[in-house]
Amino acid sequence: MEANGRPEKKKRPRSCVGCGEEAPKRELLRVVRTPAGAVQYDPTGKANGRGAYVCRQASCVAAARKKKAFARALKAEVPDSVYDELAALCKEDGANG
């Protein structure tokens, strides 16, 4: 139990749709299909809707795009702009790390 008296939340690992590796939620990038049907990158990881995750590696984003993994996981068409945004985020992480 936590100090506030509530039971501790289970921290379940999430799977990358590109490579299939499991990782903690905070280490992955989340793409969400909103209740309105729009597909977008979710920087907070808390947006309402169905989510799918990908590693912060350009190779995983490319694999997900090639396999149409986000479209399958989210049951919706994914615009190219989402993949472009994820690829740009991977390049930024690579430059900083």
Side-chain angles (χ1 to χ4, degrees), residues 24-79:
K25 183 177 176 178
R26 290 281 166 214
E27 292 179 15
L28 301 171
L29 300 172
R30 182 175 190 243
V31 174
V32 66
R33 183 194 72 211
T34 64
V39 176
Q40 61 195 34
Y41 167 61
D42 174 20
T44 65
K46 296 180 180 181
N48 259 355
R50 182 176 183 88
Y53 298 84
V54 68
C55 295
R56 293 177 184 266
Q57 297 175 13
S59 59
C60 286
V61 173
R65 181 181 230 164
K66 185 177 179 182
K67 296 191 291 187
K68 299 185 181 194
F70 280 119
R72 193 175 320 114
L74 300 173
K75 298 180 174 88
E77 287 298 314
V78 180

Side-chain angles (χ1 to χ4, degrees), residues 29 31 41 54 61 70 81-91:
L29 300 172
V31 174
Y41 167 61
V54 68
V61 173
F70 280 119
S81 61
V82 172
Y83 290 109
D84 296 340
E85 186 175 2
L86 293 173
L89 288 166
C90 291
K91 287 177 186 159

